[in-house]
Amino acid sequence: MDTQSLQAFLAVADSGSFSLAGEHLHLTQPAVSKRIANLEDQVGARLFDRIGRRISLTEAGRLLLPRARQILVMVDDSRRALSNLSGDVTGSLTMATSHHIGLHRLPPILKVYTQAHPDVRMDMRFLDSEQAYQDVLDGELEIAVVTLAPRPDPQLVVEPVWIDRLRFVCSNDHPLAEHHFLELSALSNFDAVLPGHLTFTRDIVVDTFARDGLRVNVALSTNYLETLKMMVAIGLGWSVLPETLIDEEIHVLPIDHPPIERPLGYLFHKNRTLSNAARSMLALLDETRKQVD
């Protein structure tokens, strides 16, 4: 079972398309089909059902899928372990971060890193924190620097670096802006604009209200905090935003409630052999954490 065929198998399974898999792997569609056919010959079973334009995994394909991921992760780990023996900080670093952290927290760290390690090829991916978590679990990423989950997966090493304090905000002409003191319950009477369903930040906010027996009326959602700020500024609803985004365009609400905080930090899989490039990045993040403390 060769790794190229397994990579093609995973690309088709993840994208649901031979042509999209080819684009991802920089191969033609016939080349992807040939690799899948070779793999099916090797395992002695059909891996995909092709009905019209729809492609789905067969029972054999579903059985192979998690094992294929494990095999490729083990191969990558072996390559990294051998490369690490030299002690050189070279090769590639595949990491993800959220748009907010990438814009407001990481730039000075990335500048120091790239100056110290010019031979490292950075494969930086901007993803929602939740997707980055899953990609680390699946072995697609070495590390991620994201909003940390309230209940981290036990397979991950998770380290907070910063604490983001979230403030309740609204537009300057919103009815809530007229008050000098507000109970948390007052916000339940007005529409909110928040990050989308199943995001860590939204869970933190909704759980805060639920502990007081309150509900949040979410009118609109977006996972981009800069877009949330725009929505608040034009009066579409109240929200919570990190202090780093607050300026004269929006009004901070005087809520009688302890501030909502969300941890930001890094994570990697416990069973993954990290490259020297990744270890060097984590060392910089650990140094930043000490400075923050």
Side-chain angles (χ1 to χ4, degrees), residues 151-171:
R151 292 167 289 278
D153 191 291
Q155 298 179 81
L156 300 176
V157 174
V158 178
E159 293 291 345
V161 177
W162 309 275
I163 296 295
D164 234 5
R165 175 171 288 190
L166 303 176
R167 304 294 297 273
F168 292 98
V169 294
C170 67
S171 65

Side-chain angles (χ1 to χ4, degrees), residues 53-202:
R53 294 187 176 183
R54 183 178 178 182
I55 297 171
S56 60
L57 287 166
T58 63
E59 183 177 357
R62 290 192 295 272
L63 183 65
L64 178 61
L65 186 61
R67 290 167 172 78
R69 295 192 195 279
Q70 293 170 3
I71 291 169
L72 290 179
V73 168
M74 290 175 63
V75 170
D76 285 343
D77 279 353
S78 298
R79 289 172 178 161
R80 276 190 296 273
L82 293 172
S83 177
N84 287 350
L85 292 176
S86 68
D88 295 334
V89 182
T90 58
S92 62
L93 171 58
T94 305
M95 65 177 288
T97 189
S98 66
H99 287 83
H100 180 69
I101 295 175
L103 287 172
H104 299 280
R105 301 285 189 176
L106 271 186
I109 296 172
L110 291 174
K111 182 177 181 179
V112 171
Y113 184 88
T114 54
Q115 289 176 343
H117 307 297
D119 294 330
V120 174
R121 298 186 304 277
M122 294 289 297
D123 181 2
M124 177 73 71
R125 305 178 187 181
F126 288 87
L127 302 172
D128 290 343
S129 296
E130 299 73 28
Q131 183 61 54
Y133 256 81
Q134 190 59 51
D135 285 354
V136 172
L137 284 169
D138 290 342
E140 294 290 328
L141 298 168
E142 272 202 87
I143 60 176
V145 185
V146 291
T147 301
L148 302 183
R151 292 167 289 278
D153 191 291
Q155 298 179 81
L156 300 176
V157 174
V158 178
E159 293 291 345
V161 177
W162 309 275
I163 296 295
D164 234 5
R165 175 171 288 190
L166 303 176
R167 304 294 297 273
F168 292 98
V169 294
C170 67
S171 65
N172 291 316
D173 56 358
H174 193 283
L176 287 170
E178 301 173 0
H179 297 269
H180 299 290
F181 175 85
L182 286 166
E183 298 284 351
L184 189 65
S185 58
L187 300 187
S188 294
N189 298 321
F190 294 88
D191 287 341
V193 290
L194 292 176
H197 286 289
L198 305 179
T199 59
F200 300 146
T201 301
R202 179 159 172 164

Side-chain angles (χ1 to χ4, degrees), residues 14-58:
D14 290 340
S15 66
S17 165
F18 279 72
S19 59
L20 290 177
E23 291 178 12
H24 176 72
L25 297 172
H26 305 291
L27 296 171
T28 63
Q29 183 173 333
V32 173
S33 297
K34 183 177 180 180
R35 291 186 181 184
I36 298 300
N38 289 339
L39 185 58
E40 289 176 334
D41 287 341
Q42 291 169 5
V43 301
R46 180 180 289 275
L47 299 173
F48 294 101
D49 283 329
R50 305 163 181 83
I51 303 175
R53 294 187 176 183
R54 183 178 178 182
I55 297 171
S56 60
L57 287 166
T58 63

Side-chain angles (χ1 to χ4, degrees), residues 208-223:
T208 298
F209 277 75
R211 285 194 295 270
D212 287 0
L214 302 172
R215 296 186 63 183
V216 181
N217 300 312
V218 181
L220 294 168
S221 298
T222 176
N223 291 355

